[in-house]
Amino acid sequence: MGDNMELLAPAGSFLTMKAAVCAGADAVYAGGIRYGARAYADNFTEEELLEAIDYVHLHGKKLYLTVNTLLKEQEMGQLYAYLLPYYRQGLDAVIVQDTGVMEFVRKNFPGLPIHASTQMTITNALSARLLERLGVERIVPARELSLQEIREIAEQTDLEIECFIHGALCYCYSGQCLMSSVIGGRSGNRGQCAQPCRLSWSVNGRTRADWLSLKDLCTVDGLPELIGAGVTSFKIEGRMKQPGYVAAVTEIYRKYIDLYLEKGAESFHVAAKDRKRLMEAYLRRGYCDGYYSVRNGRHMLSLERPKSDGERDISAPQTKIREKIKGKLTLAPGENARLRILYGNTEVEIEGAEAKKAINQPVTEELLRKQIGRTGDTEYEFESLDVEMSGDVFLPVQSL
């Protein structure tokens, strides 16, 4: 994986976050209990989010927090206390729509990267350069942009560019839809979209159809073109989706991003079974390749619903990956047992009970390895474990 390229997956819950990381995501985006554009997702509590930040960092990944609704004046005073615990925990970035929030974060949380949400409707290099001057590190352009328009932003700025590669598309221009708000008082810009565009509508008394519902986005075949246009973060939509779906989609895009980076565009080919797996992971509307190569078109509309509407019954993914550690256990009669653990550049030494000179049954190396090697329900496993004993030593099993 290139240093400046990232596969970004949704985390609507703690389990989904773990599934995404295990499936190969470089980063996840998640919402807390406030200010997120998915008010009805199974969002993280403060305690869960703090734990999630530690979890992704343990595995060398990143977590971005969605603070991407428009705030009311009376809510601004609560923003500092809301963000402070996550800032202290090492949050990797905030995703914002509200320019007031953007400025507030820049002034009050030094060093915290700011990502401009697709809700900001960034459509050209001019607006991208303005945000760059205001301290934004990454933009998520409007989903309606072509590859050429994205390329122009990449060429004229030093911004990271994050683009959607898979998932639901809005009929309306990114960040500009007021339909849910006007019809039912549930504003999409407040995270409460009721998705009226997904309903059947009648035009001038004609037969009802899903005139406002777009097919979902799928760009796995177009990854080389997206990379060539300067996209640096590849974003999967779906904080309302289940862990199995997120894991399956993440796994496939991880495979083909890596394939491109390893073999280049000439050898890039998506296997039919992988494309089929993507298509079947969610059968709501069918799929299209979005606006990257066309301005619009009837082919993007999902006028008829498939017989199976929604997510497939994908089994729960493996949600445990373990980091490799190295250990050295030292035992000598009359001295406290010592266990040294090395993980990356971090070294920790633990001192245990005093070892005795064995009278009858000295402890064996086999037993030591068995007991010390039990890392339980942690995120670690021993890659190697050296045992150093001086003479016949005894140490109770419970001490180990």
Side-chain angles (χ1 to χ4, degrees), residues 30-66:
I33 57 175
R34 310 187 66 179
Y35 308 123
R38 291 292 182 270
Y40 303 111
D42 185 15
N43 291 309
F44 290 68
T45 64
E46 180 179 307
E47 184 179 344
E48 287 174 332
L49 196 51
L50 294 174
E51 185 181 347
I53 293 170
D54 284 346
Y55 176 87
V56 298
H57 289 170
L58 171 64
H59 295 295
K61 314 300 182 183
K62 294 181 178 181
L63 187 147
Y64 309 137
L65 180 64
T66 57

Side-chain angles (χ1 to χ4, degrees), residues 17 19 30 49 51 63 71 76 108 118 169 206 211 252 279 281 296 298 359 362 385 387:
M17 178 271 298
L49 196 51
E51 185 181 347
L63 187 147
L71 269 63
M76 287 297 292
N108 290 280
T118 192
L169 287 171
R206 296 167 63 185
W211 298 109
I252 291 175
M279 299 296 104
N296 52 51
R298 186 183 179 89
I359 299 174
L385 177 59
V387 176

